């Protein structure tokens, strides 16, 4: 992982950020600690994001129903596609600042990155010879130029999320 971070730092220079999230999951807290340590060691700023699957906290139950419909299952059936908690809503700045009291600078950095780039990054995934290939494409706020940097090929799990 550290070799990849070194490569990303050399490639993207001051346009590289490491992402942290607060969603109430113990595994996310562990990941945030690890990511924060890497950020400090490599001088990469953190950005705080909210993994948003719905707009408001009270829409979590409706989202569960939609996921069941998509999977062809009922709420009573065991289903693999399910969010583990109810923190996957679009959070406002006050909520983000409260959740990131341990690093309010990450919230500020998010606004700075958003102002710098219209879309911070888009990861394109293509299946080539049975291997998922990642390519990161950056779109600056001034879209007159588009820069791309290929990420070295490596196998990725076919089902990483949902």
């Amino acid at each position: 992982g550290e070799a990849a971070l070194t490569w990303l730092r050399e490639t993207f220079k001051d346009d590289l950020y490491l992402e942290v999230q607060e969603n109430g999951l113990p595994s996310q807290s562990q990941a945030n600690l690890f990511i924060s340590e890497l950020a400090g060691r490599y001088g990469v700023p953190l950005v705080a994001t909210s993994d948003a699957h719905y707009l408001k906290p009270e829409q979590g139950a409706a989202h569960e129903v939609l996921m069941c419909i998509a999977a062809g299952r009922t709420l009573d059936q065991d289903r693999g596609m399910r969010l583990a908690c109810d923190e996957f809503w679009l959070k406002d700045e006050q909520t983000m600042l409260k959740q990131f009291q341990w690093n309010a600078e990450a919230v500020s950095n998010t606004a700075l990155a958003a102002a710098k780039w219209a879309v911070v990054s888009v990861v394109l995934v293509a299946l080539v010879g049975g291997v998922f290939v990642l390519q990161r494409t950056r779109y600056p706020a001034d879209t007159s130029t588009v820069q791309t940097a290929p990420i070295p090929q490596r196998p990725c799990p076919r089902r990483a999320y949902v």
Side-chain angles (χ1 to χ4, degrees):
E2 293 191 36
L5 183 55
T6 299
W7 180 86
L8 288 167
R9 181 72 174 152
E10 291 169 0
T11 302
F12 293 105
K13 299 178 180 29
D14 293 336
D15 294 331
L16 179 66
Y17 302 91
L18 294 181
E19 175 187 27
V20 288
Q21 297 181 356
E22 284 292 347
N23 53 27
L25 298 174
S27 59
Q28 185 66 58
S29 296
Q30 292 172 340
N32 287 345
L33 179 61
F34 177 70
I35 292 166
S36 296
E37 289 172 1
L38 283 177
R41 192 175 327 145
Y42 287 87
V44 177
L46 292 173
V47 291
T49 66
S50 174
D51 185 1
H53 292 255
Y54 40 91
L55 294 177
K56 301 175 184 177
E58 59 270 15
Q59 294 173 328
H63 185 266
E64 280 290 312
V65 171
L66 287 174
M67 289 183 71
C68 284
I69 292 169
R73 298 180 179 266
T74 68
L75 287 170
D76 295 330
Q77 290 176 308
D78 180 38
R79 53 197 190 282
M81 298 185 340
R82 142 183 265 163
L83 298 177
C85 66
D86 60 359
E87 286 290 325
F88 293 97
W89 53 282
L90 186 60
K91 297 171 182 165
D92 59 37
E93 183 180 13
Q94 292 306 99
T95 303
M96 294 293 286
L97 286 169
K98 184 177 178 183
Q99 287 188 325
F100 285 93
Q101 290 177 6
W102 58 273
N103 192 329
E105 183 180 4
V107 178
S108 299
N109 288 343
T110 304
L112 293 172
K116 187 175 185 179
W117 298 97
V119 176
V120 176
S121 66
V122 175
V123 177
L124 303 175
V125 180
L127 184 59
V128 178
V131 175
F132 279 97
V133 178
L134 302 179
Q135 177 178 332
R136 182 174 301 270
T137 303
R138 303 178 302 162
Y139 296 96
D142 172 9
T143 56
S144 63
T145 62
V146 174
Q147 304 167 356
T148 64
I151 295 177
Q153 293 187 14
R154 67 176 73 87
C156 293
R158 289 181 186 257
R159 183 171 175 243
Y161 128 71
V162 175

